Amino acid sequence: MKRSLEQRLQDGPVVCGEGYLFELERRGYLQAGSFVPEVALDNPEALKQTYRDYMLCGSDVVLAFTYNAHREKMRIIGKEDLLEPLNRQAIRLAKEVAKEHPEEEALVAGNISNTNLFNPDDPESKEKVREMFAEMVKWCKEEDVDFVNGETFYYYEEALIALEEIQKQGLPAVITFGLMGENILRDGYTVEEGCRLIEEAGALVVGMNCFRGPATMQPYIEKICDTVDGHVGALPIPYRTSEEHPTFFNLPDGGCSCSLPTETTFPTSLDPLYCNRYELAQWAKEAYDSGVNYFGLCCGASPSMLREVAETVGREAVNSTYSPDMKKHFLFGSDETLQPHMTSYRTKA
């Protein structure tokens, strides 16, 4: 029998693969800029394979790809009529893949997120946001997801609205904040205070995702772990953010020799700024030691990066069989049958 999210959290760390937005753009199935997950309808097999790749590299959760699939975003691209079909299809594809897990059926999570419509000074915007969340969570309930992931909120109040709508449908909630460069939520709450209040309101998991790489997310994750009593989630982006540039929105690339068509490296020129998998492993250990038990990576992450995180926190992925093993490499290996005239050349290659 498939264990619930709460049961899995009690048994040990849970891994959740995110980052489909950048990954599917990289694979050629999604438009950067608008970032709307039309792939669920246009290329369902591509989405299923992406789900599958993350799951086999350690994700306990197949997260339905409905990030930005809300009414306002669909209106902007002139496809509001596809809103419900897209949401339902993304969940159904996730459920198909979750059943393929050879050891234990993966959890399926619905997904709602920052709307970019919420305005703390505009009551009408708050009502619109509530209506958008309500319809998406209703579809999640009808499609029988295991829980709902509410993510990338930079307003505490918007996150609370999301939680309230999830609770109305009787579903467990994971709520994570995206912290922008001012190091405070945009309605004035510290991120740890926002997490404490959201936990007290009934979220099963609270924490942070997106915007920040390991270096600039982890200090806040430690504050959250010290502030809340329950489960903490951490899902950074895999880029080398710094104190000077704490988010990926304004990361510079001093080595770039061309003129970028965008004002910053975000979102299509971030490639040279990646963390390597060992940096991500080092972060995962720090996060685990600080009390995190819901792990993942967000925009920019590849399945192999997620596998490194999963293995670091003690999880063996189905595809751990393909984890690096350099013993038989012709230059860098240690196998006794390798040719010495080749292995001795490793520093000259």
Side-chain angles (χ1 to χ4, degrees):
M1 183 176 178
K2 181 169 72 170
R3 290 172 299 155
S4 68
L5 174 60
E6 187 167 15
Q7 288 171 326
R8 295 183 195 220
L9 288 165
Q10 291 168 351
D11 292 340
V14 170
V15 178
C16 178
E18 292 189 347
Y20 302 145
L21 205 70
F22 275 34
E23 179 70 8
L24 280 155
E25 194 277 334
R26 185 164 48 213
R27 295 186 185 197
Y29 295 101
L30 188 143
Q31 184 183 59
S34 62
F35 283 125
V36 178
E38 296 176 80
V39 62
L41 297 174
D42 295 345
N43 290 284
E45 289 305 314
L47 180 54
K48 283 181 68 175
Q49 188 60 48
T50 305
Y51 284 158
R52 186 177 294 118
D53 290 347
Y54 282 81
M55 180 181 75
L56 295 179
C57 277
S59 184
D60 298 294
V61 181
V62 183
L63 178 65
F65 187 30
T66 57
Y67 183 91
N68 272 348
H70 54 70
R71 188 167 293 280
E72 176 66 9
K73 196 72 169 180
M74 298 299 285
R75 180 196 63 77
I76 289 173
I77 67 167
K79 296 184 179 181
E80 200 171 347
D81 59 309
L82 298 179
L83 175 67
E84 183 175 351
L86 191 160
N87 273 262
R88 291 189 184 274
Q89 173 82 327
I91 297 170
R92 290 169 184 173
L93 295 174
K95 292 179 72 174
E96 288 179 27
V97 171
K99 289 182 171 64
E100 298 175 7
H101 199 291
E103 296 163 5
E104 180 181 14
E105 183 178 338
L107 297 167
V108 174
N111 184 249
I112 58 176
S113 59
N114 55 307
T115 63
N116 307 317
L117 182 67
F118 180 87
N119 183 339
D121 300 321
D122 181 4
E124 185 178 344
S125 79
K126 298 177 185 182
E127 196 52 42
K128 286 181 179 177
V129 166
R130 185 177 294 280
E131 291 170 0
M132 292 193 312
F133 288 158
E135 63 183 354
M136 291 178 74
V137 178
K138 177 174 175 287
W139 298 327
C140 289
K141 178 69 172 182
E142 291 172 354
E143 296 295 338
D144 197 26
V145 303
D146 295 299
F147 67 95
V148 175
N149 180 63
E151 61 163 292
T152 328
F153 296 112
Y154 38 86
Y155 286 103
Y156 160 74
E157 191 178 351
E158 186 177 31
L160 182 61
I161 292 171
L163 175 61
E164 289 170 350
E165 294 307 315
I166 296 168
Q167 290 174 321
K168 286 177 184 177
Q169 296 296 336
L171 292 165
V174 172
I175 303 291
T176 51
F177 290 100
L179 191 61
M180 290 190 173
E182 293 181 320
N183 300 327
I184 194 166
L185 298 178
R186 291 198 60 186
D187 42 4
Y189 295 84
T190 65
V191 69
E192 63 269 26
E193 183 181 14
C195 285
R196 177 183 64 80
L197 293 170
I198 287 291
E199 180 185 66
E200 289 175 356
L204 178 59
V205 179
V206 297
M208 294 174 66
N209 79 297
C210 211
F211 296 176
R212 292 171 176 253
T216 56
M217 180 178 286
Q218 182 58 24
Y220 293 94
I221 290 297
E222 292 174 5
K223 291 180 181 180
I224 293 167
C225 289
D226 289 340
T227 301
V228 306
D229 297 322
H231 305 295
V232 175
L235 304 95
I237 55 168
Y239 297 104
R240 290 173 175 160
T241 53
S242 65
E243 187 173 345
E244 184 180 3
H245 301 285
T247 75
F248 66 172
F249 292 120
N250 292 288
L251 273 182
D253 177 13
C256 180
S257 60
C258 70
S259 296
L260 299 180
T262 51
E263 188 176 348
T264 68
T265 57
F266 178 87
T268 52
S269 308
L270 287 162
D271 311 62
L273 304 171
Y274 269 121
C275 299
N276 65 47
R277 66 185 70 194
Y278 307 109
E279 290 172 279
L280 297 173
Q282 178 178 302
W283 163 75
K285 184 180 186 307
E286 291 175 9
Y288 182 79
D289 290 345
S290 65
V292 171
N293 63 340
Y294 184 93
F295 287 87
L297 297 169
C298 208
C299 294
S302 66
S304 62
M305 289 176 173
L306 186 72
R307 182 179 62 202
E308 195 72 34
V309 169
E311 291 174 350
T312 299
V313 299
R315 304 295 307 282
E316 183 174 356
V318 175
N319 279 357
S320 284
T321 187
Y322 301 117
S323 294
D325 182 353
M326 298 298 289
K327 288 193 295 290
K328 298 186 185 301
H329 190 273
F330 81 107
L331 280 177
F332 299 103
S334 58
D335 189 282
E336 61 184 16
T337 64
L338 292 172
Q339 298 295 311
H341 77 286
M342 293 305 299
T343 56
S344 64
Y345 200 70
R346 66 181 67 188
T347 59
K348 302 175 185 177

